[in-house]
Amino acid sequence: MSDLPVAIAGVDGCKGGWIAVRADPGQATTVQIYAAFAALVADLPSNAIVAVDMPIGLPDVTHKGARGPEGLARPLLKQRQSSVFSIPSRSAVHAETAPFTTLDEWYAAHRRASEVARQTSDPPRAISIQAFGIFAKIREIDALLIAEPQLRARICESHPEVAFCRLNGGEPMSLPKKIKGMVHQAGMAERKALLCRCGYDADFLDQSAPRGAAADDFLDAAVMMLVAGRIVRGEARPLPDPPLLDRHGIPITIWS
């Protein structure tokens, strides 16, 4: 049960859209799937704080540390640093918005977006397939924060492994969540144990993830909610500090 004065939510992208772990004042923690990020935000109180595992804020040009936060987060994560994707420029993220019906179209779009990324990065850098795969969700949040600037103080970027590291006294998780694309149960157990030490009930975490989300999506959303709580309490710290801003005034930083 949340003792905070405002609602908090931790969010991760998933196959079904977005998974949100939510706690309202005096209420038990819940988990729910939303097809659209805007619908998720609309379902929350107007003063709720959201921490989401999705890049927010897109610079016009990227450098060696990608947008900036990525380069600061990786050294903290040591053996877990591969979980931090390099996100390219705004023009690269928005270069290919048409739907894909075949794998050939997907890879062709990736190549075209990578060329835009190379032209807007110094040194020139292409886009990983993993990063390209989340561009649609990045654009979803980006469009919302451009259209509704008042949300920028309430919707905060975080990263699960950075959050776990922060909650673990600055030490990254010793085991991966996945190995070769498959959930690694020992790594999941390590993270569940830390979440329980930070206040979660084991029964809540042991439930099956809602349809449309994977087990690791559920845990990532759960740790995102803890970051949202840290933001409310004034305990969270941004990387970088102070946050950078993109051309729209959207903060570029990872909170944990």
Side-chain angles (χ1 to χ4, degrees):
M1 188 172 293
S2 175
D3 60 354
L4 294 172
V6 298
I8 54 174
V11 180
D12 190 23
C14 62
K15 186 175 181 180
W18 302 88
I19 179 171
V21 175
R22 169 180 175 175
D24 290 80
Q27 301 296 314
T29 303
T30 60
V31 59
Q32 187 172 342
I33 299 289
Y34 294 86
F37 192 81
L40 185 161
V41 173
D43 196 39
L44 292 167
S46 61
N47 61 348
I49 299 298
V50 178
V52 56
D53 174 22
M54 195 59 59
I56 294 175
L58 299 168
D60 292 332
V61 177
T62 60
H63 300 281
K64 187 176 181 181
R67 297 176 306 143
E70 297 94 331
L72 297 173
R74 287 192 185 100
L76 301 178
L77 298 184
K78 302 174 185 176
Q79 69 271 26
R80 301 276 79 81
Q81 64 179 275
S82 63
S83 65
V84 180
F85 301 157
S86 290
I87 302 303
S89 66
R90 173 172 292 280
S91 57
V93 171
H94 285 270
E96 296 291 328
T97 59
F100 314 111
T101 57
T102 68
L103 273 178
D104 286 344
E105 289 178 357
W106 167 272
Y107 286 118
H110 171 255
R111 289 192 295 271
R112 292 191 296 268
S114 283
E115 183 53 36
V116 176
R118 290 188 188 95
Q119 294 170 4
T120 53
S121 56
D122 183 20
R125 184 185 180 98
I127 303 165
S128 71
I129 283 289
Q130 294 92 334
F132 185 66
I134 63 172
F135 279 9
K137 291 193 182 298
I138 294 174
R139 292 193 296 266
E140 196 176 338
I141 296 180
D142 189 53
L144 183 64
L145 296 186
I146 290 173
E148 301 187 43
Q150 74 278 8
L151 294 176
R152 296 172 191 172
R154 294 178 39 222
I155 298 174
C156 306
E157 175 184 350
S158 187
H159 186 284
E161 293 306 308
V162 176
F164 281 121
C165 178
R166 182 77 73 186
L167 295 170
N168 197 41
E171 286 298 316
M173 295 287 91
S174 63
L175 300 170
K177 281 183 301 190
K178 288 185 173 181
I179 296 178
K180 295 182 178 179
M182 301 296 291
V183 168
H184 181 48
Q185 293 302 331
M188 295 286 283
E190 180 184 29
R191 287 160 180 79
K192 280 186 180 181
L194 178 56
L195 290 172
C196 288
R197 293 198 298 273
C198 292
Y200 272 100
D201 185 88
D203 289 340
F204 177 79
L205 298 176
D206 285 340
Q207 69 180 298
S208 297
R211 184 176 180 180
D216 58 317
D217 299 329
F218 181 25
L219 290 195
D220 287 350
V223 76
M224 291 294 92
M225 195 190 80
L226 294 183
V227 172
R230 286 173 57 81
I231 292 170
V232 172
R233 295 186 184 94
E235 299 168 353
R237 295 293 177 265
L239 286 174
D241 186 6
L244 306 173
L245 298 174
D246 73 7
R247 72 160 87 158
H248 295 284
I250 298 172
I252 304 174
T253 196
I254 293 174
W255 287 90
S256 64

